[in-house]
Amino acid sequence: MNEPVKLLTIGGSDSGGAAGIQADLKTWTALGGYGMSVLTAVTAQNSLTVKDVAWMTPRFVQSQLEAVLSDYGAAAVKTGFLGRAELIISVSALLQKYKPINIVIDPVLVNHRQQPMFPDAVRQLYFCYLLPLADLVTPNVTEAAVLLNTSTLDSHGKVRGAAEWLHRRGARQVLIKGFREPEEVVDILFDGSTFTEFRQPLINTLNTHGSGDVLSAAICAYLARGDDMETAVAKAQQFTHRAIRRAANWRLGGGHGPLALFSKK
Ligand code: PXL
């Protein structure tokens, strides 16, 4: 029997089902993986706004991680919604204890309207506790700017500089997602010596809620299946692009809707 690869997301629930652990678990199901989830928070959220957040305690996050990693283990792990200092420290401690391979750190710092969601201390803790554990860190352009505490990254040169900086702060590889050009969206990968650009045509739609989560989750799944980083990013970008295209005309809520992660049979 062909066993599925085991994949673990550490992040928040999106009650609207577009982002967060719901995006990760649906992506992994679509790709044939076995998804597990450690919840850091539950959000009350829809296509318009994040209305409320209930945080798990650090002890309970650790307890979930112990349960999963001491038994199932994981072929790849992704972190997402970690907007509290003590949760970042707890997650880092457990990742150092169990040392799973293929750690993807998706530094969720802004909402889908690109507004910062957490206090500044969170940004700094990413450097001390999470970037040194990351096989890949996957900020979007806005999150990379927040991490660097700078204003917009509005040129290829600035994005490349940000990627080098994040690499120097401990991430093995860096993918800066979603640089907008007039006709294309570019994701830029830096492996410590070489930059690789991944391009897709820009799709004119509001329905991109969760697209960053889907991309990083898909990378995680392909890495777990044994692809090298460049191949994993290329396949994941294609998967995400198709999912945006399929849902481009959906109108599920009044604002930014989700992606269509499953193709109709
Ligand atoms: O898309 C990033 C993200 C991830 N996880 C949760 C979120 C968001 C954005 O709002 O709420 C739970």
Side-chain angles (χ1 to χ4, degrees), residues 12-14 19-21 43 45 50 81 108 110-112 117 209-210 213:
S13 161
D14 166 8
I21 60 144
T43 69
Q45 182 174 171
V50 179
F81 196 88
V108 173
V110 299
N111 62 21
H112 62 272
M117 289 193 286
H209 193 172
D213 310 59

Side-chain angles (χ1 to χ4, degrees), residues 181-233:
E181 293 190 347
E183 308 274 325
E184 287 182 316
V185 181
V186 190
D187 299 325
I188 298 170
L189 178 68
F190 182 56
D191 68 1
S193 57
T194 307
F195 290 96
T196 311
E197 294 190 351
F198 302 84
R199 293 173 173 271
Q200 292 289 349
L202 185 65
I203 300 169
N204 185 18
T205 177
L206 282 182
N207 298 335
T208 54
H209 193 172
S211 55
D213 310 59
V214 169
L215 178 61
S216 54
I219 293 169
C220 217
Y222 288 120
L223 289 176
R225 276 162 38 172
D227 286 329
D228 61 45
M229 189 64 77
E230 209 178 306
T231 309
V233 172

Side-chain angles (χ1 to χ4, degrees), residues 108-122:
V108 173
L109 295 167
V110 299
N111 62 21
H112 62 272
R113 294 171 184 274
Q114 307 301 307
Q115 298 150 338
M117 289 193 286
F118 306 122
D120 194 55
V122 164

Side-chain angles (χ1 to χ4, degrees), residues 30 239 246 260-265:
F239 174 83
R246 270 187 226 117
L261 298 169
F262 301 91
S263 55
K264 282 209 187 96
K265 291 274 168 13

